[in-house]
């Protein structure tokens, strides 16, 4: 699985959560303290899977025939491709909050912007397996596990 697939899964979840009207409001969480001020986007998603955001995403997708069971299917596929055993390992790899940080706007139309994913997983080894399965780079940044496509993105 590539970092592009992971970012696509997260972006889809974020978009669905926003469309469902259940994004967080108020001040940014503690992950914001490790994000550069020059970042162009910061999106925090409650990844507890039983939380309101995931229930809203699942409910929204269930309204479409192609969406029935899509969230569970995507989670299972992502975990399997990363070598994780079932969605319980994937849940432990992601932690209760996942933050997507877009570092800068794309250089050209159609380009993917550089981004970093931050989380505080229950199982750091499972997170490492997930990132390594995606051929990404990872590091710890002041208590947060960070993943990106390249080391250069992490250093930023």
């Amino acid at each position: 699985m590539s970092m592009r697939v992971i970012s696509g899964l997260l972006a889809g979840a974020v978009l669905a959560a926003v469309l469902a009207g259940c994004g967080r409001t108020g001040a940014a969480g503690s992950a914001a303290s490790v994000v550069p001020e020059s970042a162009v986007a910061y999106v925090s998603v409650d990844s507890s899977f039983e939380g309101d955001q995931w229930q809203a995403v699942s409910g929204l997708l269930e309204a479409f025939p192609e969406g029935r069971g899509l969230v569970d299917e995507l989670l299972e596929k992502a975990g399997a491709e990363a070598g994780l055993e079932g969605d319980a390992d994937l849940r432990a790899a992601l932690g209760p909050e996942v933050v997507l940080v877009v570092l800068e706007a794309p250089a050209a139309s159609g380009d993917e912007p550089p981004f970093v994913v931050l989380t505080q997983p229950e199982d750091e080894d499972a997170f490492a397996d997930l990132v390594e399965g995606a051929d990404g780079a990872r590091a710890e940044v002041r208590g947060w596990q960070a993943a990106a496509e390249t080391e250069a993105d992490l250093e930023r």
Side-chain angles (χ1 to χ4, degrees), residues 6-156:
I6 291 174
S7 69
L9 287 171
L10 291 173
V14 168
L15 178 60
V18 170
L19 291 175
C22 56
R24 289 185 179 194
T25 59
S30 63
S33 67
V34 301
V35 176
E37 289 183 20
S38 61
V40 297
Y42 175 99
V43 179
S44 175
V45 176
D46 174 357
S47 56
S48 65
F49 296 95
E50 285 79 25
D52 292 342
Q53 288 183 349
W54 283 100
Q55 295 303 318
V57 168
S58 293
L60 180 65
L61 290 173
E62 293 288 327
F64 300 94
E66 297 84 19
R68 293 192 180 111
L70 184 61
V71 171
D72 293 333
E73 182 181 319
L74 289 174
L75 292 174
E76 184 177 315
K77 182 178 180 182
E81 289 184 12
L84 303 176
E85 299 291 327
D87 70 340
D89 283 351
L90 182 61
R91 292 169 190 237
L94 291 179
E97 178 183 15
V98 176
V99 176
L100 179 64
V101 179
V102 178
L103 298 170
E104 65 185 38
S109 178
D111 285 353
E112 184 175 305
F115 66 91
V116 174
V117 176
L118 298 167
T119 190
Q120 292 179 315
E122 294 174 20
D123 184 344
E124 291 182 13
D125 291 335
F127 180 75
D129 290 344
L130 183 64
V131 174
E132 289 167 10
D135 295 326
R138 73 177 180 89
E140 183 176 337
V141 182
R142 291 181 275 179
W144 288 84
Q145 293 295 314
E149 282 193 287
T150 67
E151 291 286 336
D153 289 342
L154 284 177
E155 290 175 13
R156 293 171 68 189

